[in-house]
Amino acid sequence: MSDDTLTIEVDGEPVEARKGQMIIEVTDAIGAYVPRFCYHEKLSVAANCRMCLIEVEKAPKPIPACATPVVDGMKVFTKSPRAIAAQKATMEFLLINHPLDCPICDQGGECELQDLAMGYGRDVSRYNDQKRVVKDKDIGPLVSTDMTRCIHCTRCVRFGEEISGKPQLGTTGRGENVEISTYVEQSVDHEMSANIIDLCPVGALNNKPYRYSARSWEMVQRPTVSPHDCVGSNLYAHVLRGTVKRVVPRVNEAINETWLADRDRFSYEGIYSSDRLMTPRIKESGQWRDLSWDDALAVAADSLKRADAESIGLIATPAITVEEGHLLAQIADHLGTANIDHRVARRDVSDQDDDAIYPSLGCTIAEVEKQGAVLVAGSNIRSEAPIIAHRLRKAALAGATISFVNNAQYEYFFDVADYLSGEGLVQALAGIAVAAAGKSLPDAVAAICKGVKPTPVQKRIAKSLKDAEDALVLLGNIAGRHAAYTAVRALASCIADATGASFGGLSEGPNSAGAHLAGVLPHRTQGGENRESTGLDVASMLDAKLDAVALVNVEPEADIHATSEAVEKLSGQQFVVALTPFVSDGLLECADLLLPTGTFAETSGTYVNIEGTWQSFAGVASPVGDARPTWKVLRVLGNLVDAPGFEYVTSEDVREEFTEQLGEVSTSNLYEGSSPIEKVNGGDAPADEIDVPLYSVDSLVRRAFALQQTDAARRAAADGDE
């Protein structure tokens, strides 16, 4: 037994424990349940509910298990008459002011207070006086409040202080007048704020859009994966008669821990938006009419078969699944075209031959919080990947040196060592590269670093990366959309190489890595193999006059940043077919044929997240209208264009074939290009950068009503109108 280990006795059984552990941690580890309300493994100890009172030998009175550290030889009794009596007395006090309105409470059936009241409550209350009533608070469009139910566990308060870093909730008053409230009646608007719903052990904080729409025991819980960013947070969809009623976190310590970003939680509202495409539609003489699936697919197949191979374009978003990407790439191969791409946001593809096989973080998601120094460049990280931002905050709280290079100033709820802003990304990174590499600059960046003299701040950032045992250089989505991405990436890679740091980036959408692997690229096939001849990227396809263009889950007016005036350019193509769940103004203007497809909730598939983890999921909801899963539409379309091997019955068949063909694939993010970058390709001014707002990243989020009522969405809309 090590010096850090000791032995205690729990209910007569010897148990090993670590020094410093609280008793409740030890009892949880061995399955000896101790009731609790305020304790949560991810939060600090408050010890204010007293529900976890237990008996310890020689202690004069019952003590809280959550706030009592273990001592060698300690004898703990969790189920003794003395412990049970103390727990029952605590429960009686907690229920004195509770409204006991379980029949109308959304928490009914999954309420910790309800469960423990069954085990430790009295059949008849001895309290006969008037109960306290607390006025409800309006804390925004996501969380409803019934504050009379509150038992002052303060989990929600501690979440704001310790996890989100934005303490918007606190306690006011004393004794009988204690209330949980916001400061100055403001809304709770952090990008992870709704986690307080899960933390609340009673029905004081509930899911506002879901309120009064279903009961917990009526719904079926089905696992799925978030479709909004490269993290791939694990979710449970709660489904009633084929309809998603709410979404809650699914614990995965390696990815999202127990947390969920608000857009992952509430985007399900978009599934049932009024502008869902219900049936195939075709435009004839400027007018839209409905048609059958058989006729629509025949029209789509005919347009592709009649077109010249070099005049076909296939454009998807990074939200397609691995299976959909594999089928789309096979169709492209059969048609003889290399004009296929999913990089709808990337404007600079001049160095695409030097791209990694697939984009990656450079470390695991869990390892982000263990870094000693991190440089984040070109990223509004709280918007792009809230879970990564949370991990970054944990690193900062543990003492890591976090630095940012952004042209705009973004708010972070932790101490930032250095923040470079107000100048172009290329200029700022060039200074850090010179400070890090000195005279050993690689040939690729030597020209653009010529004459650059590092500032004290740039020298400090380089030194922090060199001095740290574990360091990370991270490029964000803003960098990925930069007009001079080639230079930005080469400089960031140089900094990482010179300082010994890991190098990675945040990719667009949930499955950019999977789309790369599937060969949804103009220059590479499956697994990163180079094509014999390079096809057209997204911008080039739109600039060309093609005979047939297929859009997969693309809303051009909102999703395509690779080029300007995307709708107008698509309108100039000969024939445009769109596989889409929604009808948008842009698609109505530029498309000729609309095929209704399912959202992530209505299909099965696989996403590969930014650390390279493959996560498969099944459909959780019934399709809306005549919508079909995208992989099924592509499978039938493959049959109609006479592509061989399109006999798949399930998406699992597609995935199994793809994984067998793919084999083992490794990747490196370091820039391998050796050709000197003589000039910046595109502008380097702050005005050239594209920052997609938090609640505008994809079609589902843009249609989630509650998310669009948040302060973040309203501020973004106001900024866009200016």
Side-chain angles (χ1 to χ4, degrees), residues 232-306:
S233 294
N234 289 203
L235 328 169
Y236 281 120
H238 289 176
V239 181
L240 177 63
R241 291 186 288 275
T243 301
V244 178
K245 289 295 185 179
R246 68 177 176 184
V247 168
V248 299
R250 177 160 55 102
V251 176
N252 188 326
E253 289 293 335
I255 296 178
N256 56 297
E257 300 179 88
T258 61
W259 314 120
L260 210 56
D262 288 354
R263 68 184 178 200
D264 296 333
R265 186 185 299 269
F266 296 105
S267 66
Y268 72 89
E269 285 190 298
I271 299 171
Y272 307 106
S273 169
S274 59
D275 59 356
R276 279 298 299 267
L277 180 62
M278 296 295 187
T279 188
R281 301 176 70 186
I282 191 169
K283 184 192 292 182
E284 295 176 340
S285 303
Q287 300 297 313
W288 287 96
R289 68 173 181 87
D290 296 345
L291 72 169
S292 69
W293 264 109
D294 288 344
D295 291 341
L297 287 168
V299 171
D302 185 60
S303 69
L304 293 171
K305 289 169 72 175
R306 285 190 296 107

Side-chain angles (χ1 to χ4, degrees), residues 54-86:
I54 53 157
E55 182 181 358
V56 175
E57 188 181 58
K58 298 181 181 179
K61 60 183 180 179
I63 58 178
C66 70
T68 306
V70 294
V71 177
D72 194 34
M74 174 186 278
K75 293 185 178 180
V76 176
F77 304 94
T78 65
K79 298 177 178 63
S80 67
R82 192 180 185 194
I84 297 295

Side-chain angles (χ1 to χ4, degrees), residues 59-258:
K61 60 183 180 179
I63 58 178
C66 70
T68 306
V70 294
V71 177
D72 194 34
M74 174 186 278
K75 293 185 178 180
V76 176
F77 304 94
T78 65
K79 298 177 178 63
S80 67
R82 192 180 185 194
I84 297 295
Q87 292 160 2
K88 286 186 173 182
T90 300
M91 176 58 68
E92 186 173 13
F93 276 109
L94 287 174
L95 292 177
I96 281 176
N97 282 313
H98 197 78
L100 302 179
D101 57 349
C102 301
I104 64 165
C105 179
D106 273 330
Q107 197 85 346
E110 52 188 9
C111 174
E112 294 177 50
L113 182 70
Q114 194 178 50
D115 293 341
L116 292 182
M118 291 292 294
Y120 301 91
R122 297 176 60 92
D123 292 335
V124 179
S125 174
R126 294 185 290 179
Y127 184 78
N128 294 314
D129 295 324
Q130 186 174 349
K131 293 194 174 201
R132 185 185 72 158
V133 177
V134 181
K135 183 180 178 182
D136 293 336
K137 312 293 191 298
D138 184 2
I139 61 174
L142 305 181
V143 183
S144 67
T145 64
D146 290 275
M147 301 312 296
T148 301
R149 300 171 184 161
C150 179
I151 61 172
H152 307 140
C153 72
T154 68
R155 284 185 181 180
C156 57
V157 176
R158 285 175 284 150
F159 173 83
E161 294 173 345
E162 299 166 14
I163 306 300
S164 74
K166 192 175 184 180
Q168 294 178 292
L169 291 171
T171 56
T172 63
R174 299 188 66 182
E176 182 73 7
N177 298 316
V178 169
E179 293 185 20
I180 303 292
S181 180
T182 59
Y183 300 113
V184 206
E185 297 296 319
Q186 65 180 353
S187 63
V188 175
D189 60 357
H190 188 272
E191 63 274 7
M192 293 175 60
S193 62
N195 285 288
I196 60 177
I197 298 169
D198 308 314
L199 289 172
C200 184
V202 298
L205 302 173
N206 285 296
N207 185 318
K208 202 169 195 174
Y210 160 78
R211 194 172 192 187
Y212 300 143
S213 64
R215 305 311 302 259
S216 61
W217 56 84
E218 298 176 309
M219 298 184 290
V220 178
Q221 179 171 274
R222 293 171 177 164
T224 187
V225 178
S226 166
H228 305 304
D229 58 45
C230 57
V231 173
S233 294
N234 289 203
L235 328 169
Y236 281 120
H238 289 176
V239 181
L240 177 63
R241 291 186 288 275
T243 301
V244 178
K245 289 295 185 179
R246 68 177 176 184
V247 168
V248 299
R250 177 160 55 102
V251 176
N252 188 326
E253 289 293 335
I255 296 178
N256 56 297
E257 300 179 88
T258 61

Side-chain angles (χ1 to χ4, degrees), residues 598-629:
T599 63
F600 82 104
E602 301 154 308
T603 188
S604 57
T606 304
Y607 292 147
V608 183
N609 74 0
I610 198 63
E611 67 176 15
T613 299
W614 291 54
Q615 300 188 105
S616 296
F617 53 91
V620 300
S622 302
V624 173
D626 285 335
R628 300 288 185 268

